Amino acid sequence: MRIGVIGCAGRMGRELLCEVQRSEKCELSAAVDVKESHSIGQDANKFVGLPQCGVIISDNVEEAFKASDAIIDFTSPNVTQHHLELSQENGTNLVLGTTGHTEKGLADIEIAAKKVTIVKAMNFSIGVNLLFGLAKQVSEILNEDYDIEIMEMHHRNKVDVPSGTAIALGEAAAKGRGKALEEIADRGRDGITGARKRGNIGFSSLRGGEVIGDHSVIYASDSEIIELVHKAGDRGIFSKGAVHASLWTEGQKPGLYNMLDVLGLI
Ligand code: NAD
C-alpha cells in the first residue's frame, strides 16, 4: 500500500515517516510539509535519520494525493477542507489525526466521508481507545453523586484547548450518562463561577514542557475519588495506530470511521 504523510516535518510527522518505513505492508509514496519548512528538498528517510528512500519532501500536496492509496494528515484544522477535496478527487483514503476542528469543519468531514473512506481519531493509541470505553462504562455505573472532571496536560506548543482526546473522553462519559456533552460540558472556568453544577462534566487543561499527552477522568463523590488515567510515554503509540488505520482502510466502504472501528472494539 502506498502511504503519503502530510505534515511530515512535525512532531507527529517525523514519527509517521519512521513508522511507514518500519512496516513491511506499505511504502512511503509522498512526504509533504509547508514550503517554508527546512525539510523541503530533503530525502524523507534521511530527514529522520534512516537510510535514503528516494522520496523527496515537497510542498506539493496535490501530487501527494495522486501518488497515494492513503494519506495520513497530522497538520492543522484550517487545511483539512482542501485535503478532503483532494481525497475525493483522487479516491485517496484519508487518516486524519489533526485535532481542533470547528463544528463546520467536523460537518465537512462527515459530508466528504459519504464518498471516501476516512478514519478520524482524536487519539490513535490503543490505551486511550480503551479508556474511552472505560469512561463510558464507569459513567453508566456511577450516578451524579460522582462529579466527573477531565484533566489533561500537554507540551507548551499545543495550540488547541482542551485536547481532542479530552473532548472525546467527555463525549464518552456524557454518553454513559445518557446526555450529549454540549448540554453538560463546563469549559474554561475562571473568576467567580459559582458552585459546580451537579451532573456537569468539567475540563481542566495544563500546558508545559514536553509532555506528550496525559489524560485523567476523575469521579469525585463526598467520600471517594476514582481516577482513570492514561499517560503517553512516546509518540510512537499514535503513529503505530495511524499506520495501522491506513492499512485497514484498504477495501473499506466510504464512511467516517474511528479507531474503535479499526481495532474492532465496537
Ligand atoms: P507540529 O506543529 O509539530 O506539526 C505539524 C506539521 O504540519 C508542521 O511541520 C507544519 O509545518 C505542517 N503543516 C501545517 N500545515 C500544513 C500544510 N498545509 N501542508 C503541509 N504541512 C503542513 O504538530 P504535531 O504535534 O505533530 O500535531 C499535529 C496535529 O496532530 C495537531 O492537531 C495535534 O493535536 C494532532 N495530534 C493528534 C494525535 C492523535 O492521536 N489524533 C496525536 C498527536 C497529535
Side-chain angles (χ1 to χ4, degrees):
M1 196 171 176
R2 299 168 306 157
I3 296 182
V5 176
I6 306 190
C8 68
R11 278 173 288 262
M12 278 305 303
R14 294 190 297 263
E15 290 287 339
L16 287 159
L17 290 178
C18 295
E19 193 56 40
V20 170
Q21 174 62 27
R22 260 195 291 272
S23 171
E24 286 171 3
K25 296 182 183 153
C26 58
E27 63 180 44
L28 184 71
S29 45
V32 176
D33 211 287
V34 291
K35 68 173 184 298
E36 299 78 21
S37 169
H38 65 289
S39 65
I40 300 293
Q42 297 190 45
D43 181 275
N45 272 10
K46 275 193 95 175
F47 178 65
V48 288
L50 297 171
Q52 196 158 320
C53 66
V55 175
I56 302 299
I57 300 175
S58 86
D59 65 346
N60 193 333
V61 72
E62 289 79 10
E63 279 305 317
F65 271 86
K66 267 189 209 143
S68 307
D69 300 310
I71 284 285
I72 306 180
D73 175 355
F74 280 68
T75 56
S76 156
N78 57 18
V79 290
T80 301
Q81 179 57 38
H82 185 42
H83 296 170
L84 291 172
E85 285 159 17
L86 291 172
S87 177
Q88 291 174 81
E89 271 167 35
N90 296 284
T92 312
N93 299 337
L94 187 61
V95 171
L96 202 49
T98 305
T99 61
H101 292 98
T102 59
E103 291 289 317
K104 158 98 175 59
L106 293 172
D108 290 342
I109 295 167
E110 281 190 29
I111 292 168
K114 294 196 164 75
K115 296 200 179 129
V116 282
T117 304
I118 301 177
V119 179
K120 179 180 185 314
M122 295 294 206
N123 194 303
F124 279 91
S125 93
I126 291 178
V128 163
N129 282 278
L130 283 176
L131 208 65
F132 292 149
L134 290 171
K136 176 168 173 280
Q137 207 180 340
V138 176
S139 307
E140 271 163 8
I141 297 167
L142 299 178
N143 67 18
E144 290 184 355
D145 289 345
Y146 290 78
D147 298 324
I148 303 178
E149 291 285 309
I150 295 174
M151 194 165 70
E152 54 106 345
M153 179 159 187
H154 281 83
H155 55 87
R156 62 173 74 88
N157 292 313
K158 184 163 178 63
V159 294
D160 50 322
V161 180
S163 71
T165 301
I167 295 171
L169 284 167
E171 282 167 350
K175 206 169 176 188
R177 291 254 167 107
K179 301 261 169 65
L181 180 62
E182 308 82 77
E183 294 167 22
I184 52 174
D186 197 350
R187 288 166 61 161
R189 293 178 185 135
D190 191 13
I192 312 293
T193 59
R196 187 186 197 288
K197 193 168 166 214
R198 184 178 162 86
N200 271 8
I201 296 181
F203 287 83
S204 313
S205 297
L206 313 177
R207 294 288 175 268
E210 287 295 322
V211 178
I212 294 172
D214 294 351
H215 292 91
S216 303
V217 186
I218 301 165
Y219 299 85
S221 79
D222 289 348
S223 46
E224 64 181 351
I225 291 182
I226 300 158
E227 282 187 64
L228 303 176
V229 181
H230 180 273
K231 290 177 189 279
D234 185 331
R235 286 192 175 82
I237 59 174
F238 310 128
S239 56
K240 274 193 184 62
V243 171
H244 179 65
S246 310
L247 295 169
W248 178 88
T249 61
E250 194 166 31
Q252 296 292 338
K253 286 193 195 124
L256 181 56
Y257 302 94
N258 62 32
M259 208 46 194
L260 296 176
D261 298 304
V262 174
L263 295 170
L265 290 176
I266 49 171

